[in-house]
Amino acid sequence: DPAGYCSDGDAKEFYRRRRVELKHGRVAMLATIGYIVPEFFRWPGFCSPSSGLKFTDIGTGLSALAKVPALGWFQYVVFCGQMELF
């Protein structure tokens, strides 16, 4: 450990840091896949039927932030929060 994070010798804290590092690595891998896959595949149908927004109308990357309705982002945040708890 070049930075000296584990020099205190606390086994529980070291175990927690290992788990957190694995979790963050997995999230980073999923985020990378989530950025690449929409270039080649789009879900059929509507993202927001009430506003007539199809999945094919949503761009990739940062351009998607402005297209998805606020309620859609709220649902996404709630889902991610629930997954974080379990």
Side-chain angles (χ1 to χ4, degrees):
D1 176 28
Y5 290 125
C6 299
S7 61
D8 59 0
D10 187 9
K12 287 183 181 180
E13 187 64 22
F14 178 73
Y15 179 70
R16 187 193 71 79
R17 286 185 183 134
R18 264 184 32 192
R19 285 190 329 199
V20 168
E21 185 176 0
L22 285 173
K23 184 183 253 186
H24 289 166
R26 290 175 182 150
V27 168
M29 288 186 280
L30 285 173
T32 303
I33 292 297
Y35 200 79
I36 294 171
V37 168
E39 294 289 336
F40 304 105
F41 174 78
R42 299 292 173 108
W43 291 108
F46 289 90
C47 176
S48 176
S50 60
S51 61
L53 180 65
K54 293 183 178 182
F55 285 109
T56 55
D57 298 335
I58 299 173
T60 58
L62 295 176
S63 65
L65 291 175
K67 294 265 187 171
V68 178
L71 187 58
W73 287 115
F74 175 73
Q75 290 172 346
Y76 174 74
V77 169
V78 168
F79 175 76
C80 289
Q82 288 177 345
M83 293 297 105
E84 188 68 25
L85 293 175
F86 301 107

